[in-house]
Amino acid sequence: MKSPSGKGDRAGRGAPAARKKVGEPAARGRRGTESARYAHYIREKTNQLLQVMGTEPLRPEEFDDRELLNLDPIGIIAGSLEQVFEYLNETIANLSEARDEMQAIFDATGVGISIIDQDFSIVKCNEKQRELLVDKQLADVSGRFCYEVYCLKNGPGLDCPAVDTFATGRPVVVNEVRKKGKYFQLVTTPFARDAAGRVTRVIEVALDITARKKAEEEERRQRGYYLAEKSKLASVLQSLSEGLLVTDSRNRIISVNGAALQILDLSQKQVREQRIEELFLDCPAEAKIMFDGTAPHAFQNVEIPFRGENRDLLLTVNSTPLTDVRGTVTGRVFTFRDITEEKRRQEVYHRTEKLAAVGQLSAGIAHELNTPLGSILGYARLLLKGDNLLAEQKERLAIIAEQAKKSGGIIRELLDFSRLSTQAPSRGASCDLNQVVTEAIRILRAEFDKQEIAVTFALSPLSPVAADPKRLEQVVVNMLLNSAQAIGSGGEVEIATLLQSDEVQVRISDSGPGIPVENLSRIFDPFFTTKPAGKGTGLGLSICAGIISDYGGAIDARNSPGGGAVFTITLPLPGEAHAG
């Protein structure tokens, strides 16, 4: 390192030895002064460099001037600064590379990112944000207000999360914001703060949820449409007059309409989750295949009985399988209607037709047989008056007369039957059924007492019916005699009258053996009887059915669950139509 002045060196090197010795103290003094000044210069510049580097200055006691001159601190600092500059250059290069990487990530991310200052000016935004919300004609958005560029507004709205982040210093999430016809989920978080800790910049991240929103809206629309159609279908099913049951693959009832509950006289709780075959326990074996949950076939108009708590029904049932998209049977749909009354009316109609035909036949036969029987009876009685007859002859003639008389009685019954089958009923009379029942019991009281049959009453107040009291009395007497003959002795007969909405009923129950099932459909047929030969003609119940049918009513016979038979006479009130 050169000194500030080189004169002393040149003088020292070129002077004679004698002169050097003479001027040696003065030269040494000058060199000491220059060294001190030079050391002071080095110390001052070194301290300036150390101060720039943020290091404490050199203290005099650390290095004296000689040590400072020998150490060359400026050279050391220069070398250190060179190393620092090399490190800084490397760091700057790394930071530049990292910045480029971050910029690439910033631009390539799938969400929109903006940096916004506290004036709501856009500092920077990535390419995704430009694609989502920036008009293409805007080349540069830096310095523009975010609410103008992104929202086309005159100021930040209440739904802007940056407002809250600037105010609270906390991140804010808004799940749904509408901007320029698109839907976004926004997140804002602090990016920079001032010395007081106030947020000066925020980062806003915008996730485009337009596709998801449209999908949700479409799903809501489809769900609304589905619910509306389901409601329509439910209304249609509930308005059906036919009963409807839906079962699953396990044959459990999962849906039922109001008509089904009304027909079966059951509640939802009694039907839901019950197996279909448990509901129809009396179904014939040949019809039970209809309840097979895996059967792929449909069944039409299958007649099955249903035994309810209050009444027995005859139903006609249709069954169709339910299948999924693969064709697998997942359940069945059952529709049914009550045909009990329809069947009864058909039976009454056919019975009436048979009665009319048999009545005409009986009338012809009676007229043809009445004359010869009358002649036989007359001649038999005439012969009985002879005096020369043997006892054996008289006995035989008496038998002939007696049998002819019995045959005449049968013919009279045939004539009565034919007249009942063909004559028009008298509808002008008014009849109190309670009075008819009371009179019939009075007539038969002696017979019931003789057979020790107890008679009980349950008569309700009734409205009058349009019928001939005497003809109805004949019906009730005949029905009571039929019950008494079935009981034999020591039994009980109960008579009840009921007033329905448009009809009245007389119900006669007995404690007899009941009616054989195979005879239930035949007991009202003409000439059908279960009595021993000679004990009945089989016309009594037929005549009763004919009389009731003439007045638009019907007679029903069935067995009671507790034993015995129940006969129900139904008559319409005046002005009510009754099919028969």
Side-chain angles (χ1 to χ4, degrees):
M1 184 178 295
K2 294 180 180 181
S3 63
S5 176
K7 294 180 179 181
D9 290 337
R10 288 192 299 269
R13 284 194 296 269
R19 293 185 63 179
K20 183 178 181 181
K21 289 182 180 180
V22 174
E24 187 174 3
R28 187 181 297 119
R30 284 195 302 271
R31 285 197 298 271
T33 302
E34 290 176 357
S35 296
R37 187 168 61 251
Y38 184 46
H40 176 74
Y41 172 79
I42 291 175
R43 186 181 299 275
E44 181 180 3
K45 297 303 178 181
T46 300
N47 285 336
Q48 288 178 357
L49 289 174
L50 291 176
Q51 185 177 4
V52 169
M53 296 173 64
T55 305
E56 293 182 359
L58 295 174
R59 294 190 297 272
E61 62 271 15
E62 290 180 327
F63 298 98
D64 57 18
D65 291 347
R66 184 181 301 172
E67 289 175 336
L68 187 63
L69 292 175
N70 293 331
L71 184 62
D72 190 13
I74 294 180
I76 294 174
I77 292 174
S80 299
L81 286 176
E82 183 178 3
Q83 294 178 0
V84 169
F85 288 151
E86 290 178 357
Y87 176 76
L88 286 177
N89 288 332
E90 182 180 354
T91 302
I92 290 170
N94 292 336
L95 287 175
S96 178
E97 182 180 355
R99 182 194 63 188
D100 294 340
E101 291 178 357
M102 291 300 298
Q103 184 66 41
I105 295 172
F106 186 72
D107 289 332
T109 184
V111 295
I113 302 176
S114 299
I115 300 175
I116 301 169
D117 66 16
Q118 57 190 353
D119 295 327
F120 296 95
S121 295
I122 301 171
V123 177
K124 190 176 185 180
C125 74
N126 69 347
E127 289 302 318
K128 186 64 177 181
Q129 183 76 347
R130 293 184 62 86
E131 175 188 335
L132 291 175
L133 289 173
V134 179
D135 295 336
K136 296 186 181 299
Q137 60 267 26
L138 291 178
D140 186 15
V141 296
S142 298
R144 293 178 177 270
F145 293 117
C146 61
Y147 49 80
E148 290 181 349
V149 175
Y150 298 156
C151 306
L152 301 179
K153 294 181 178 180
N154 296 325
L158 296 177
D159 56 353
C160 178
V163 174
D164 291 338
T165 300
F166 279 123
T168 64
R170 294 192 299 269
V172 176
V173 178
V174 178
N175 290 323
E176 185 178 309
V177 173
R178 185 179 176 92
K179 295 183 178 183
K180 292 187 176 180
K182 298 179 180 180
Y183 293 92
F184 295 91
Q185 184 181 59
L186 300 182
V187 179
T188 57
T189 187
F191 178 68
R193 299 176 184 267
D194 59 14
R198 291 187 296 270
V199 177
T200 58
R201 291 183 179 183
V202 299
I203 292 180
E204 179 183 272
V205 179
L207 175 63
D208 185 7
I209 59 171
T210 306
R212 187 185 75 187
K213 182 68 176 178
K214 289 182 177 179
E216 291 175 353
E217 290 176 351
E218 179 64 17
E219 181 184 358
R220 280 196 297 270
R221 190 187 69 80
Q222 291 288 350
R223 185 166 58 249
Y225 175 78
Y226 166 75
L227 292 176
E229 292 300 311
K230 182 179 179 181
S231 177
K232 290 179 185 177
L233 179 60
S235 299
V236 170
L237 296 180
Q238 289 299 328
S239 65
L240 288 176
S241 59
E242 290 190 349
L244 181 139
L245 298 171
V246 181
T247 61
D248 60 13
S249 58
R250 298 180 300 163
N251 267 12
R252 295 198 175 275
I253 299 172
I254 58 176
S255 181
V256 56
N257 71 342
L261 299 176
Q262 184 177 4
I263 292 172
L264 303 180
D265 194 19
L266 296 173
S267 64
Q268 281 270 7
K269 186 176 181 181
Q270 291 174 297
V271 175
R272 289 293 295 270
E273 296 301 320
Q274 188 176 4
R275 295 180 65 86
I276 187 73
E277 61 267 26
E278 295 173 352
L279 188 62
F280 298 102
L281 292 174
D282 297 325
C283 179
E286 62 272 13
K288 286 186 177 179
I289 188 175
M290 180 175 56
F291 299 138
D292 183 1
T294 60
H297 311 295
F299 301 89
Q300 300 291 327
N301 300 323
V302 180
E303 294 186 3
I304 62 173
F306 174 77
R307 186 180 297 276
E309 295 181 359
N310 301 318
R311 57 175 181 157
D312 295 340
L313 303 175
L314 182 64
L315 307 175
T316 177
V317 182
N318 300 324
S319 175
T320 305
L322 286 174
T323 57
D324 57 18
V325 294
R326 295 172 296 180
T328 304
V329 177
T330 58
R332 299 192 73 85
V333 176
F334 295 86
T335 59
F336 59 88
R337 61 187 181 90
D338 180 10
I339 61 170
T340 308
E341 288 299 314
E342 182 180 327
K343 281 289 186 180
R344 184 189 63 79
R345 294 188 187 109
Q346 290 178 359
E347 291 175 1
V348 170
Y349 175 74
H350 293 314
R351 190 184 305 140
T352 303
E353 284 188 327
K354 284 197 291 185
L355 286 173
V358 173
Q360 292 177 357
L361 177 63
S362 300
I365 294 175
H367 281 294
E368 293 295 329
L369 294 179
N370 198 35
T371 300
L373 281 176
S375 299
I376 293 171
L377 182 58
Y379 279 110
R381 287 177 176 173
L382 183 60
L383 289 173
L384 282 173
K385 293 180 181 179
D387 296 333
N388 56 346
L389 294 176
L390 299 175
E392 184 180 355
Q393 291 174 331
K394 286 184 177 182
E395 182 180 354
R396 289 175 179 175
L397 286 172
I399 292 173
I400 292 173
E402 181 65 26
Q403 293 303 313
K405 185 178 179 181
K406 286 185 178 180
S407 297
I410 294 174
I411 290 173
R412 281 193 300 274
E413 288 186 4
L414 286 172
L415 289 171
D416 291 340
F417 175 74
S418 65
R419 285 193 293 269
L420 288 169
S421 301
T422 56
Q423 69 181 6
S426 173
R427 299 181 183 272
S430 180
C431 174
D432 182 357
L433 274 179
N434 284 337
Q435 187 175 350
V436 169
V437 169
T438 303
E439 184 63 21
I441 292 296
R442 188 186 66 79
I443 294 172
L444 297 175
R445 175 60 66 185
E447 182 68 24
F448 285 148
D449 291 343
K450 179 182 177 181
Q451 293 183 223
E452 298 181 349
I453 295 175
V455 181
T456 57
F457 296 88
L459 304 182
S460 304
L462 300 179
S463 299
V465 295
D468 184 349
K470 291 300 180 183
R471 298 187 77 196
L472 292 186
E473 183 181 300
Q474 178 185 352
V475 172
V476 175
V477 167
N478 200 320
M479 304 293 291
L480 290 172
L481 282 175
N482 189 76
S483 295
Q485 291 169 358
I487 292 172
S489 62
E492 183 179 351
V493 173
E494 180 181 357
I495 305 174
T497 58
L498 302 170
L499 175 62
Q500 303 292 342
S501 59
D502 58 354
E503 61 188 18
V504 294
Q505 290 183 350
V506 179
R507 189 172 297 165
I508 301 173
S509 308
D510 63 55
S511 59
I515 305 168
V517 177
E518 64 273 13
N519 294 337
L520 275 172
S521 61
R522 304 179 58 198
I523 59 173
F524 294 105
D525 290 347
F527 305 108
F528 177 80
T529 181
T530 58
K531 296 175 184 177
K535 295 294 184 180
T537 60
L539 293 174
L541 290 179
S542 298
I543 292 173
C544 292
I547 293 173
I548 297 302
S549 179
D550 285 341
Y551 293 113
I555 298 181
D556 176 67
R558 67 184 63 192
N559 290 317
S560 174
V566 179
F567 288 85
T568 303
I569 302 169
T570 303
L571 287 168
L573 293 173
E576 300 291 343
H578 195 290

